């Protein structure tokens, strides 16, 4: 008994339940000094009796093993409890003594005891006092029966231990339960929090979905939506863009053939270029603020929107993934509109007259443009290359891609240029100068942070040196002041578009402009989600209604490809601006290339560029020499599949792949 | 390295500049080769410029001056 008690103690201690043990002991023995006496007695007696047996823990373990199977921890034993209740009071006294002696078996048996405790716990709580009473009575009786007591003791031990351990188990269970309860509570709270998060995330996902919506049509939509979401103040701008897009869809088929696509691309490129140097992220907020002001001003002026319409969709046409570019482009658009407003307001007397004349001329000629086919444009391109150049240079100034604009104007819808060029070049130049100066100055003033241009200085120089200088030299010189030029380009290009488009505006667009104008102030007020929906719907509509003309994509070499190839070849870190320059360079290169190929092909009396033509070009460039044949270059730089296509390879079976 | 040459893009670009011009079957591959070699030359030139400036990064100035030279060279 004492041994077992001793067992218990170390077992309990090992489990770290000193307090429980003490509590159990105190609880089980409230003011029962007799128990302690009994323990001592029991200890003596137990030691006496089982000494030969208890000396070795092995023996004790045997006893435990022998006795344990009799008691299955899983089965509730009421009868045993009753039987052991009497013996249990002895156990506590004996346990203490036995605990100290035997530690090993305790550890082994502890598990079973613990399980038993669980079972016995409920029953034992009540019977502790009874045990104690019975223990006093039965103490002497049980002492005589050592062996029997073993079995009974074990059971009683378990029972008593269960009782003693009841508080422990309670505590154990309490300990065990608490985390469970905690988990339950946490789960509930977590679920509640999850729901809240879901709501938030749904909103976010909605935004994310909007933002991530693919397709050209939705790009502006998403960008505007995002802008709207980010700044609830900006209702006018996206809506204006929206309306402008609506108008664009109507104007689309007409404008598409004009030089606006090229200009749009230039504007987009320029805008993107401006976005680069200007620092997109920080600029967006300020630009949006600016655009808002501009839009507010423009909302009042019909002309703005009319001009905005063609310009802004032209710019969004080339915006795809870069929202910042969208905001950036909208900025120049807005600024342009503002400038235009200012220009219109200021140049009422002399320049406006000439301006309106230009507009009228451009209008008529734009209408003709629409009607005329590409063939006409070709003819006109031939006749008006210089005039076109003069026009473009005079209007745009030294831009990176005035040549492209010229050529596109020539190649595509330059019908207007023919008649425009003479009239415009002569009249516009004079009229353009003050306008340009005003525009550019206004642009510069608005972007005062970024620009310190010498516009007045450059413009007269630009106007004067229209023809004689070669485009390339000019372009290179201009590239030195890339940032400025880009901005100017946007202003000029957009101003050109403005004029071109404004021609059409009086026809029918203004009527359409009126409606959105009227509704514009009203629509500004609705909440962001509403505006979102509005943005979504109307923006989808023009995309669908204008199916005849999806936003015309400018075919460009993938920027990623350029980056990859250039980085691979240069083997050094390259700045972003340098990449932009490489892109522009490659555009010029393709221009040169196409003209050269055309020359070679026509020289050979053919209309299709053949491999020989391209090889001739490479030879002229100095890439293919006598020392460096073409095939070597092919092998070096092209992937396997294409090599096979280009080089006749003798394949097994005498099959030659041409 | 990329595995697929943007053949359709090349054709579109040439069409943009010269709509009346046609391309043979695999001529656009040669055009792409030409483009690669052009970029190669541009990269070499830019790298030389950067070395001359004792800069470890390709800066826009280097690229611009390199572009001037290479575009002139590749005029044919």
């Amino acid at each position: 008994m004492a041994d077992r008690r001793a067992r218990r103690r170390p077992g309990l201690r090992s489990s770290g339940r000193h307090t429980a043990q003490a509590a159990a002991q105190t609880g089980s023995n409230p003011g029962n000094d007799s128990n302690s006496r009994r323990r001592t007695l029991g200890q003596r007696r137990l030691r006496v009796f089982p000494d030969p047996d208890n000396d070795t823990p092995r023996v004790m373990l045997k006893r435990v093993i022998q006795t344990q199977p009799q008691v299955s921890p899983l089965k509730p034993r009421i009868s045993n409890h009753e039987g052991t209740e009497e013996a249990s009071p002895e156990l506590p006294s004996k346990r203490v003594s036995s605990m100290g002696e035997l530690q090993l078996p305790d550890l082994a048996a502890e598990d079973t005891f613990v399980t038993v405790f669980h079972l016995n716990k409920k029953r034992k709580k009540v019977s502790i006092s009874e045990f104690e009473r019975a223990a006093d009575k039965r103490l002497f009786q049980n002492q005589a029966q050592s062996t029997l007591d073993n079995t009974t003791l074990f059971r009683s031990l378990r029972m008593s231990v269960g009782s003693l351990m009841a508080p422990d188990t309670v505590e154990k269970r309490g300990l065990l339960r608490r985390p469970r309860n905690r988990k339950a509570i946490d789960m509930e709270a977590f679920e509640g929090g999850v729901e809240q998060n879901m709501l938030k995330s749904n909103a976010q996902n909605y935004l994310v979905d909007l933002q991530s919506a693919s397709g050209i049509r939705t790009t502006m939509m998403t960008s505007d939506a995002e802008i709207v979401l980010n700044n609830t103040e900006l209702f006018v701008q996206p809506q204006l863009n929206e309306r402008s897009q609506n108008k664009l869809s109507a104007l689309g088929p007409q404008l598409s053939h004009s030089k606006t696509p090229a200009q749009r691309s230039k504007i987009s490129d320029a805008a993107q270029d401006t976005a680069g140097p200007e620092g997109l992220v920080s600029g967006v907020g300020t630009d949006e603020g600016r655009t808002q002001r501009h839009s507010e001003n423009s909302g009042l002026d019909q002309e703005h929107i009319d001009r905005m319409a063609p310009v802004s969709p032209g710019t969004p046409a080339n915006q795809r993934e870069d929202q910042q570019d969208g905001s950036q482009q909208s900025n120049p658009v807005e600024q342009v509109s503002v400038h235009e407003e200012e220009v219109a307001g200021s140049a009422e007397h002399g320049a406006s007259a000439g301006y309106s004349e230009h507009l009228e001329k451009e209008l008529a000629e734009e209408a003709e443009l629409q009607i005329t086919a590409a063939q006409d444009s070709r003819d006109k391109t031939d006749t008006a290359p210089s005039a076109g150049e003069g026009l473009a240079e005079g209007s745009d100034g030294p831009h990176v891609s005035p040549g492209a604009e010229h050529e596109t104007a020539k190649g595509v819808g330059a019908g207007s240029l023919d008649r425009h060029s003479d009239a415009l070049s002569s009249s516009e130049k004079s009229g353009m100068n003050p306008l340009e100066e005003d525009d550019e100055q206004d642009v510069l003033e608005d972007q005062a942070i970024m620009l310190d241009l010498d516009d007045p200085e450059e413009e007269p120089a630009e106007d004067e040196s229209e023809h004689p200088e070669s485009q390339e030299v000019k372009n290179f010189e201009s590239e030195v002041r890339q940032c400025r030029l880009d901005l100017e380009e946007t202003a000029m290009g957009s101003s050109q578009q403005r004029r071109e488009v404004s021609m059409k505006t009086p026809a029918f667009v203004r009527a359409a402009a009126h409606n959105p104008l009227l509704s514009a102030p009203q629509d500004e007020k609705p909440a962001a989600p509403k505006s979102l929906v509005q943005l979504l719907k109307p923006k989808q509509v023009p995309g669908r209604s204008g199916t005849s003309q999806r936003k015309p994509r400018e075919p460009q070499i993938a920027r990623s490809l350029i980056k990859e190839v250039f980085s691979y070849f240069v083997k050094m870190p390259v700045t972003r601006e340098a990449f932009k320059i490489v892109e522009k360079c490659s555009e010029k290169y393709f221009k040169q290339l196409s003209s050269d190929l055309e020359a070679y092909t026509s020289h050979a009396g053919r209309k299709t560029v053949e491999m020989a033509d391209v090889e001739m070009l490479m030879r002229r460039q100095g890439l293919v020499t006598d020392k460096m044949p073409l095939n070597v270059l092919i092998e070096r730089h092209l992937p396997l599949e294409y090599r096979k296509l280009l080089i006749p390879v003798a394949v097994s079976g005498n099959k030659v792949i041409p | 390295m990329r595995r697929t040459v943007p053949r359709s893009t090349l054709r579109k670009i040439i069409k943009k500049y010269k709509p009346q011009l046609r391309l043979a079957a695999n001529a656009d591959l040669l055009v792409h080769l030409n483009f690669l070699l052009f970029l190669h030359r541009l990269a070499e030139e830019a790298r030389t410029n950067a070395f001359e400036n004792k800069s470890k990064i390709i800066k826009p100035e280097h690229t611009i001056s390199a572009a001037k030279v290479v575009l002139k060279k590749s005029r044919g």
Side-chain angles (χ1 to χ4, degrees), chain A residues 306-566:
Chain A
D306 296 341
R307 292 162 193 175
M308 279 274 299
V311 179
S312 59
T315 55
N318 294 308
Q319 294 174 7
R320 302 209 180 152
E321 297 171 353
D322 198 343
Q323 301 157 353
Q324 290 169 344
D325 286 345
S327 63
Q328 285 285 336
Q329 290 183 4
S330 63
N331 298 336
V333 167
E334 294 285 348
Q335 290 157 357
V336 161
S337 63
V338 172
H339 306 319
E340 202 174 354
E341 183 184 21
E342 295 173 355
V343 168
S346 62
E348 289 177 354
H349 300 283
S352 64
Y355 188 77
S356 60
E357 290 176 357
H358 303 317
L359 294 180
E360 291 174 358
K361 289 175 190 173
E362 290 174 351
L363 247 181
E365 285 151 6
E366 276 293 332
E368 291 177 359
L369 228 193
Q370 301 166 12
I371 300 169
T372 59
Q375 295 176 353
D376 296 338
S377 66
R378 278 186 236 159
D379 300 337
K380 293 174 184 177
T381 58
D382 296 335
T383 58
S386 62
E389 285 185 5
L391 201 192
E393 288 185 359
S395 62
D396 296 340
H399 288 292
V400 177
S401 58
E405 286 182 343
H406 301 321
E407 290 190 5
T408 53
K410 296 174 199 173
V412 182
S416 61
L417 277 178
D418 299 334
R419 310 185 190 184
H420 287 300
S421 60
D422 298 335
L424 290 174
S425 60
S426 59
S427 57
E428 267 192 352
K429 285 169 195 175
S430 57
M432 294 277 293
N433 294 337
L435 291 175
E436 293 171 3
E437 290 175 359
D438 294 337
D439 292 341
E440 291 187 9
Q441 285 172 359
D442 294 333
V443 175
L444 298 173
E445 287 171 0
D446 291 332
Q447 299 179 354
I449 302 170
M450 305 306 300
L451 301 180
D452 292 327
L453 296 185
D454 297 331
D455 292 332
E457 296 176 1
E458 289 179 356
E459 289 176 10
E462 297 168 6
D463 298 334
E464 292 170 358
S465 65
E466 290 171 353
H467 304 277
E469 295 182 15
S470 65
Q471 296 178 11
E472 291 179 0
V473 176
K474 255 183 143 188
N475 293 336
F476 290 123
E477 289 175 352
S478 69
E479 282 178 3
V480 174
R481 318 160 203 167
Q482 185 183 0
C483 294
R484 302 174 185 175
L485 290 175
D486 293 336
L487 292 165
E488 290 176 4
E489 189 177 345
T490 58
M492 306 310 281
S494 58
S495 65
Q496 256 201 347
Q497 281 190 358
R498 254 185 283 148
R499 287 156 201 141
E500 292 169 358
V501 178
S502 57
M503 304 181 295
K504 295 179 186 176
T505 55
F508 47 85
V509 178
R510 282 185 185 175
H514 287 292
N515 296 331
L517 262 180
L518 294 173
S519 59
Q522 297 172 3
D523 293 334
E524 294 175 8
K525 294 177 182 178
K530 291 182 188 177
S531 65
L532 258 181
V533 174
Q534 289 176 354
L535 288 169
L536 285 170
K537 288 178 186 175
K539 280 177 185 176
Q540 287 172 356
V541 167
R544 292 168 192 167
S545 65
T547 50
S548 64
Q549 192 67 44
R550 291 193 179 186
K551 294 183 188 175
R553 293 196 196 190
E554 275 300 312
Q556 286 173 357
I557 285 282
R559 216 182 265 180
S560 54
L561 175 72
I562 294 179
K563 270 195 180 181
E564 180 189 1
V565 173
F566 191 75

Side-chain angles (χ1 to χ4, degrees), chain A residues 476 554 556 560-561 564 569-570 573 575 577-578 581 585 589 596 598 600 607 609 617 620-621 623 642, chain B residues 1-2 5 9 16 18 20 22 24 34 40-41 47 56-58 60 63-64 67-68 74-76:
Chain A
F476 290 123
E554 275 300 312
Q556 286 173 357
S560 54
L561 175 72
E564 180 189 1
F569 279 137
V570 84
T575 54
E577 288 72 22
I581 294 172
C585 216
Y589 162 77
D596 289 343
E598 188 187 15
Y600 297 150
K607 286 189 182 176
V609 177
L617 173 69
R620 289 286 295 263
Q621 286 180 351
L623 293 167
Y642 302 129
Chain B
M1 290 294 280
R2 291 228 164 183
V5 166
T9 315
K16 180 177 84 170
K18 299 280 167 200
Q20 71 281 7
R22 294 189 187 186
N34 211 349
H40 190 26
R41 268 206 250 176
R47 181 145 51 116
K56 298 229 168 173
I57 309 173
I58 303 281
T63 323
I64 290 169
K68 285 189 194 179
S74 53
R75 245 193 288 166

